[in-house]
Amino acid sequence: STRFSNPCVSPQGNVFEKRVLLSLLTTNGGTCPITKAPLTEDDLIDIVPAPRSTVPAAPTSVSGAGFGGLLASMQTEWDALMVETFNLKSALEETRRELSQALYQNDAAVRVIARLTMERDQARQMLAQGGGESQQASASGGGGGDDDMDVVDSAGGGGKAGIPKPDLDVMVAKWTELSKGRKGRALPSNQASASDAASFKASSSTNLHKSSGKTGITCVDVCADDSDLVLTGGNDKQAIVFSRGEGKMRAARAAGTKPVRSVAWVNSGTFVTGSADGTVKLFGGEDYAELGSLDLESPVVEVSVQPTGAYCFASTEDSKVHLLGIARDDVKAIVAFSDDGKLKYSCGACHVDGLIYGAGCEDGSVRIWDLKKGELAGEIKVDAAVKSLSFAENGYYVVAGCEDGYARVLDLRKMKEIGKSGGEDFGPVGSAAFDGSVKMLAFCGTKKAAVVEVKKWGDVVAEYKGHKKDMTALAWGEASRCIVTVGLDRALKQWS
């Protein structure tokens, strides 16, 4: 029922009182209070501009302006009250959403506990029945051969932990398929080159995740099946699905009770997350609902999907690599490979063929696991703590992002470092990745990101800056025609 004295409309079609909106924009960093999109005074369109000749000059003080000054003071107070009311309503809606999510999680937890209790009771019953049958067989003198038993854990790095044969057969079949087609692999017709990357500019920037408490985006992954979809994890304990084409968030899901360390797409409808609280979660379906969860009892540093799509790997700080089954819309532990307990894993990555896993350590070592044999295949030492790992599509290059600001390229055929890019001016390198053609390498330190050509490690093709706080991760888009970067400023930037 209140008429606007100076109405205006935003590019998104929302109508505001211009005076109140401009006051709010100076306090919230220039974002639309409704859509949270960047908004400046130049973006606003006056609907019924007030005639300048009829606008009286503001009095210099209330005491000198009489009744008019008093009205102006009351108007200012009213505007401030309306802004405060709007902020309170926004906070109320956010609290309601969080409460609803917490109630949903509690309900899911109760159902999971009930299911696990039932499975435990069934297992105890089967164990008791099996024990009785075993005693009967021994008493009658019937001794069979030793039963095969899956080793769930291996200690010391030298012992073998066996992947169950049915699972191993699936992985080996996929490994054979990928290995045969690797040399003749066709690249997209619009595959970008180094000269294209040199011309990349920031094409968009969107703030994601919560702006209160501990903020910032920690990890990112671009979906291979649909490059329009970007998955991020943050310090706010959430994983967010973002559509680049629509420029908006598709889903936000709670991934644990501590910051999200790693996220990975299984396909365009399913993804996994790893949290600092030791939890690995699987999400999927039309609304990306939580399908399953597993506590690994140690902070997760990386999750990656095995090429079959039926399994994923999760490495944890206690120097273990866990193989998990995710094919039946749940997360099931299959086997864990345990390394030297004195080491502390800081990152990891699955090989593109799926039967090798690399783990980076804080002491500067890169541990290479042969998953087919269930043993440690070797180690490559570098000169700084390893913060990220990524394998190239050619199958033998692996890049290690290091604390000293360098992205170090390792060759699995020679088991040594063959080159490095970066420097102290980049800051610790938290993310690095080869593009699909293995002709370019992108990496980001806390201060900036860069692209170099393969085998020309020292020559920087392009640098990308613009985050207001530390940059944390990057990922290539389809055909290497785009790079996505994220940082502690909550910004997801696209460079193309």
Side-chain angles (χ1 to χ4, degrees):
S1 62
T2 303
R3 296 182 60 185
F4 291 109
S5 63
N6 190 5
C8 63
V9 63
S10 70
Q12 291 78 22
N14 298 305
V15 179
F16 301 93
E17 172 61 52
K18 188 171 184 179
R19 180 185 64 261
V20 178
L21 179 59
L22 293 179
S23 175
L24 185 58
L25 291 179
T26 61
T27 61
N28 69 359
T31 58
C32 177
I34 296 178
T35 65
K36 305 303 181 184
L39 186 64
T40 65
E41 183 177 358
D42 294 336
D43 297 330
L44 304 177
I45 301 173
D46 292 332
I47 298 177
V48 183
R52 301 196 177 197
S53 59
T54 64
V55 178
T60 57
S61 66
V62 173
S63 59
F67 186 68
L70 181 60
L71 287 178
S73 177
M74 293 175 65
Q75 181 68 60
T76 301
E77 292 291 336
W78 174 259
D79 292 345
L81 181 61
M82 290 300 98
V83 170
E84 183 179 3
T85 302
F86 178 85
N87 290 334
L88 288 174
K89 286 185 177 181
S90 298
L92 176 61
E93 289 300 322
E94 176 71 11
T95 303
R96 283 177 174 172
R97 189 185 65 79
E98 291 181 354
L99 177 60
S100 175
Q101 192 173 56
L103 291 174
Y104 173 83
Q105 289 175 348
N106 180 72
D107 180 66
V110 170
R111 287 187 279 108
V112 170
I113 291 172
R115 177 172 57 81
L116 291 176
T117 302
M118 182 182 65
E119 291 178 355
R120 180 202 63 188
D121 294 341
Q122 291 176 347
R124 285 178 175 175
Q125 184 179 3
M126 293 174 62
L127 182 62
Q129 292 175 351
E133 292 172 359
S134 177
Q135 290 176 359
Q136 285 183 346
S138 298
S140 63
D146 295 336
D147 292 334
D148 291 336
M149 183 176 65
D150 294 336
V151 181
V152 177
D153 207 0
S154 64
K160 292 185 178 180
I163 296 177
K165 189 176 186 303
D167 299 306
L168 185 60
D169 289 345
V170 173
M171 295 181 188
V172 170
K174 190 65 175 180
W175 168 76
T176 303
E177 174 191 341
L178 294 174
S179 298
K180 286 182 179 179
R182 189 159 303 287
K183 288 186 177 180
R185 185 171 55 92
L187 296 176
S189 58
N190 62 338
Q191 176 69 38
S193 63
S195 59
D196 294 321
S199 63
F200 284 176
K201 304 294 181 183
S203 55
S204 68
S205 179
T206 306
N207 288 342
L208 300 175
H209 295 267
K210 295 180 181 178
S211 58
S212 58
K214 190 175 182 181
T215 62
I217 305 175
T218 57
C219 47
V220 65
D221 189 29
V222 176
C223 183
D225 296 339
D226 183 357
S227 62
D228 176 62
L229 297 177
V230 179
L231 177 64
T232 63
N235 281 323
D236 62 350
K237 311 164 194 175
Q238 287 190 323
I240 287 180
V241 178
F242 178 76
S243 170
R244 293 195 295 144
E246 297 173 1
K248 66 180 183 179
M249 185 172 63
R250 290 272 187 92
R253 298 291 175 260
T257 59
K258 292 185 178 181
V260 181
R261 292 276 191 85
S262 180
V263 293
W265 286 103
V266 180
N267 51 54
S268 60
T270 314
F271 65 86
V272 292
T273 65
S275 170
D277 65 0
T279 304
V280 173
K281 289 192 175 185
L282 177 69
F283 299 85
E286 293 183 1
D287 58 349
Y288 296 104
E290 181 178 329
L291 303 178
S293 175
L294 184 66
D295 185 1
L296 301 182
E297 301 180 349
S298 178
V300 177
V301 297
E302 190 271 346
V303 290
S304 55
V305 177
Q306 211 272 345
T308 59
Y311 311 91
C312 78
F313 294 100
S315 51
T316 51
E317 284 187 358
D318 60 353
S319 66
K320 289 182 180 179
V321 179
H322 302 260
L323 173 62
L324 311 175
I326 55 174
R328 297 181 178 179
D329 291 343
D330 199 359
V331 184
K332 296 290 186 182
I334 297 177
V335 68
F337 303 91
S338 182
D339 205 337
D340 184 350
K342 296 180 182 179
L343 294 173
K344 184 177 181 181
Y345 283 178
S346 54
C347 58
C350 177
H351 188 272
V352 290
D353 289 338
L355 284 178
I356 294 176
Y357 190 89
C361 305
E362 291 188 346
D363 69 345
S365 58
V366 177
R367 311 279 278 182
I368 305 298
W369 283 94
D370 184 336
L371 303 176
K372 186 177 180 181
K373 295 180 180 179
E375 63 184 16
L376 194 66
E379 178 186 73
I380 305 174
K381 293 286 289 185
V382 296
D383 294 335
V386 183
K387 295 180 66 65
S388 70
L389 281 180
S390 178
F391 287 90
E393 284 290 337
N394 61 16
Y396 50 84
Y397 281 166
V398 56
V399 57
C402 297
E403 183 75 28
D404 60 356
Y406 285 96
R408 290 178 162 84
V409 181
L410 316 177
D411 192 327
L412 294 181
R413 299 168 299 182
K414 303 174 182 179
M415 291 298 286
K416 68 177 185 179
E417 179 182 327
I418 60 172
K420 64 181 181 179
S421 302
E424 294 182 359
D425 57 324
F426 280 84
V429 177
S431 181
F434 291 96
D435 78 321
S437 67
V438 198
K439 294 182 179 179
M440 293 183 287
L441 168 65
F443 62 96
C444 74
T446 55
K447 300 176 183 177
K448 58 183 176 179
V451 170
V452 298
E453 288 189 81
V454 169
K455 296 184 180 180
K456 298 180 181 179
W457 313 116
D459 299 332
V460 174
V461 172
E463 291 186 354
Y464 312 112
K465 302 178 183 178
H467 285 271
K468 297 178 181 178
K469 294 184 179 180
D470 288 355
M471 197 179 296
T472 54
L474 59 72
W476 287 97
E478 183 181 12
S480 310
R481 305 204 71 83
C482 172
I483 295 177
V484 175
T485 63
V486 295
L488 295 183
D489 57 355
R490 298 171 46 236
L492 183 150
K493 292 183 179 293
Q494 301 180 62
W495 309 82
S496 58

